[in-house]
Amino acid sequence: MKSIPFILPLVTVPFSMVHAEKREKAEMPQNPNVIFIYADDIGYGDLSCNGAKTICTPHVERLAAEGVRFTNAHSAAATSTPARYAMLTGEYAWRRKGTGIADGDAGMIIRPERYTLADMFHEAGYVTGAIGKWHLGLGDQTGTQDWNGQLKPCLSDIGFDYSYIMAATGDRVPCVFVENGRVVNLSPDDPIYVSYKKNFPGEPTGKNNPELLVMQPSHGHNQSIVNGISRIGFMKGGKSALWKDDQIADELTHKAVSFIEEHKDRPFFLYFATQDAHVPRVPNERFAGKSGMGPRGDVLLQFDWSVGEVMATLKRLGLDKNTIVILSSDNGPVVDDGYKDNAVELLGEHKPGGPFRGGKYSSYEAGTRVPCILRWAGRVKPAVTDALVCQIDWMASFASLLGIDLPEGAAPDSEDCLDAWLGKDTQGRSYLVEQNAQNNLSIITGEWKYIEPGEGQPFNKNVGIETGNSPYPQLYNLYKDLGEKENVAEKYPKQVKKLSRQLEKIKDNRVGLPLE
């Protein structure tokens, strides 16, 4: 078992108490397989199961009809890297330095000594796999990776038996897949060089060579050109290893299906993190032009296809009744996130964030309130619930399900919300802390949401999203004002003081305390 680094003192409930009965385990002939399908930048309103009328996602709809659909589920942060960090470690990312949006040459943000969700499943006897977008760094230190050799540390050092990942994100170099710590299809005669500081002599960029582009950037994204699309960061070489953007979904879905097939005879945990609907959006020709909303709408259809392929595989192999499938997204939606792909112009009546205010990067609800479905056929009854749940709790909740005692200091912010995830508890968490792109925090409890005063512009002009940043406290009654239209902080100063104090206690690591 991994040793756990010193963490500031915590007040937690012993796991031996929260799962003393080791729920479900004794009844099952085999522990259930577990698949997390993790979308990228797909908002609450982007899926037809949540009421979208302008897009049809039938495979996700079927998943929702057969499982529990959550209307108050959250990622732990409104951007990718911190949301994924919190989900995989059970710790709020704002507690750790270096967990902001990662460049493509970032070192491993989750260090090998850290006990992770994958470690937990591994301890329970599962074979573990990660396929898709990673965005949590590789190698030991930022900018020092040898992309032409074995990257260490890599995902095998934090609990994953197998990994086939995008090195960072679709819009960041290097634009290559990495399998078990090695770049795929790399020729030794054409090594890869990566820099986030300066370009390599003679290499074209989107800024200096726009005539070479097939997709123009709207802001940023004007450095090295790969497949006619300029990215963030500079890259040279590795031509045989470069992915083809319109094949990413097919490649990752194929790898996910292969992982399921290969491990069908023993319990497995698969973290399947799609690229859709992150930029650059380059749908496969099967989906191009099919949504009527441009590439962003098309990749929503592509995501739905990926879900369908996974579910069809489970059914074909006879695994669909003993596999827990959870579908969610890393953060809320963004329409223009750096490329001129007509997403704004063709949006029409579609509302990616549903009824919620804000979006990716934001403190408002659309930043972290994301689509979420749990299906466990024959074990969990179909339902719709507004229980307050968060991805950060997957670790403690599945530890409870599997009868795993987490090591002391592991997953300090993760709570056992198993009954809520299984549709048995309609309340869920008593409170939840959310994080926006500027690391300004908010807290939700019951009907109240308090957004602390913080630095930063109130509106991100590049992406067209309200950030929630304000020098003044904000208080919203989500039961009466789901769209967070009326700030009632001046009307309820006692409630502001109460939630502000509670948030400060949580910041001080005194987690697990009841609200006063």
Side-chain angles (χ1 to χ4, degrees):
M1 182 179 294
K2 291 187 178 183
S3 61
I4 304 301
F6 176 77
I7 299 175
L8 291 175
L10 305 171
V11 178
T12 57
V13 178
F15 280 91
S16 58
M17 293 175 58
V18 298
H19 57 71
E21 298 179 2
K22 298 192 184 297
R23 295 179 241 181
E24 312 287 348
K25 188 177 181 182
E27 304 174 20
M28 295 183 294
Q30 173 180 298
N31 281 338
N33 307 308
V34 179
I35 300 176
F36 291 165
I37 302 176
Y38 210 52
D40 197 348
D41 294 355
I42 289 182
Y44 183 92
D46 276 326
L47 303 174
S48 52
C49 67
N50 285 339
K53 304 297 184 184
T54 49
I55 196 82
C56 182
T57 48
H59 295 296
V60 177
E61 272 196 38
R62 181 175 180 180
L63 195 72
E66 296 174 346
V68 181
R69 180 170 66 85
F70 297 88
T71 62
N72 196 12
H74 296 255
S75 58
T79 54
S80 173
T81 300
R84 293 163 195 263
Y85 173 89
M87 184 268 288
L88 288 169
T89 66
E91 178 184 54
Y92 286 125
W94 46 264
R95 296 197 190 279
R96 294 279 170 177
K97 292 182 179 180
T99 56
I101 300 174
D103 281 336
D105 67 344
M108 281 281 283
I109 293 172
I110 302 175
R111 305 305 296 177
E113 63 272 14
R114 187 82 194 181
Y115 190 89
T116 68
L117 186 68
D119 285 320
M120 185 205 71
F121 276 106
H122 205 275
E123 185 179 336
Y126 282 65
V127 59
T128 56
I131 294 170
K133 174 180 170 177
W134 181 235
H135 207 189
L136 286 164
L138 289 166
D140 189 41
Q141 296 181 21
T142 296
T144 64
Q145 297 91 345
D146 177 10
W147 296 101
N148 306 290
Q150 179 69 42
L151 293 162
K152 290 289 289 183
C154 64
L155 278 68
S156 63
D157 297 295
I158 57 171
F160 287 104
D161 297 304
Y162 176 78
S163 60
Y164 191 97
I165 59 171
M166 303 170 72
T169 69
D171 60 345
R172 286 169 170 79
V173 302
C175 298
V176 295
F177 295 117
V178 178
E179 185 174 31
N180 295 331
R182 287 188 177 272
V183 173
V184 177
N185 294 328
L186 180 62
S187 169
D189 298 325
D190 184 24
I192 292 176
Y193 300 93
V194 174
S195 173
Y196 273 71
K197 295 181 179 179
K198 62 180 181 179
N199 193 19
F200 299 96
E203 292 296 310
T205 65
K207 180 179 180 179
N208 296 328
N209 307 94
E211 73 281 0
L212 300 179
L213 300 178
V214 298
M215 180 187 295
Q216 297 291 329
S218 57
H219 50 87
H221 300 86
N222 62 357
Q223 296 175 332
S224 283
I225 300 172
V226 177
N227 302 332
I229 302 169
S230 49
R231 320 278 169 152
I232 299 172
F234 303 103
M235 176 181 176
K236 177 182 178 181
K239 296 294 189 294
S240 62
L242 297 175
W243 64 51
K244 294 179 174 59
D245 289 82
D246 65 343
Q247 299 295 317
I248 290 176
D250 280 23
E251 178 78 2
L252 298 180
T253 303
H254 168 71
K255 291 295 180 181
V257 167
S258 296
F259 180 87
I260 295 169
E261 292 173 336
E262 183 177 349
H263 301 291
K264 61 183 176 61
D265 295 324
R266 61 172 293 189
F268 62 79
F269 165 60
L270 173 60
Y271 171 44
F272 177 33
T274 74
Q275 154 74 7
D276 297 325
H278 197 279
V279 295
R281 302 157 185 146
V282 187
N284 187 278
E285 62 180 1
R286 301 191 309 278
F287 307 101
K290 298 297 175 63
S291 70
M293 289 192 291
R296 187 178 188 277
D298 297 342
V299 297
L300 294 177
L301 303 181
Q302 186 167 262
F303 171 76
D304 185 68
W305 168 82
S306 295
V307 173
E309 290 297 293
V310 169
M311 298 310 297
T313 301
L314 293 175
K315 185 172 184 180
R316 170 169 55 84
L317 298 175
L319 301 176
D320 58 322
K321 291 186 178 180
N322 196 38
T323 300
I324 299 173
V325 178
I326 298 183
L327 180 150
S328 197
S329 183
D330 63 344
N331 48 247
V334 58
V335 182
D336 178 356
D337 206 21
Y339 294 96
K340 296 178 180 178
D341 60 2
N342 291 316
V344 174
E345 294 81 356
L346 297 175
L347 192 63
E349 298 298 316
H350 184 67
K351 296 181 179 180
F356 308 112
R357 185 177 181 182
K360 182 179 180 179
Y361 308 110
S362 176
S363 288
Y364 295 122
E365 282 295 275
T368 64
R369 194 183 294 215
V370 290
C372 192
I373 299 163
L374 183 147
R375 177 193 184 273
W376 191 6
R379 307 285 298 187
V380 173
K381 295 180 180 179
V384 178
T385 177
D386 61 358
L388 178 63
V389 293
C390 181
Q391 296 164 6
I392 201 170
D393 296 327
W394 286 346
M395 197 162 173
S397 300
F398 276 93
S400 176
L401 176 66
L402 299 173
I404 297 294
D405 291 305
L406 298 181
E408 184 179 356
D413 296 300
S414 189
E415 294 184 8
D416 176 10
C417 294
L418 182 61
D419 283 345
W421 288 112
L422 300 183
K424 299 176 183 178
D425 169 22
T426 59
Q427 299 302 312
R429 270 182 162 262
S430 60
Y431 64 85
L432 171 65
V433 177
E434 298 173 306
Q435 170 187 358
N436 78 358
Q438 284 73 42
N439 292 332
N440 294 328
L441 303 182
S442 55
I443 183 171
I444 295 175
T445 176
E447 72 267 39
W448 297 110
K449 177 174 179 179
Y450 165 73
I451 304 176
E452 67 176 356
E455 298 180 352
Q457 294 298 315
F459 187 78
N460 185 327
K461 295 180 180 179
N462 284 336
V463 298
I465 290 175
E466 293 180 285
T467 63
N469 298 326
S470 172
Y472 307 105
Q474 298 175 71
L475 181 70
Y476 298 95
N477 187 319
L478 295 180
Y479 288 4
K480 297 179 180 179
D481 181 20
L482 196 60
E484 298 170 283
K485 296 178 181 178
E486 183 184 4
N487 179 8
V488 294
E490 292 186 0
K491 188 176 181 181
Y492 297 99
K494 291 183 179 180
Q495 192 66 42
V496 168
K497 183 177 180 180
K498 176 181 177 181
L499 293 179
S500 175
R501 288 179 60 192
Q502 179 66 14
L503 187 56
E504 289 305 313
K505 287 181 180 180
I506 297 169
K507 287 182 183 181
D508 290 341
N509 263 359
R510 287 176 283 167
V511 297
L513 296 178
L515 288 175
E516 296 177 354

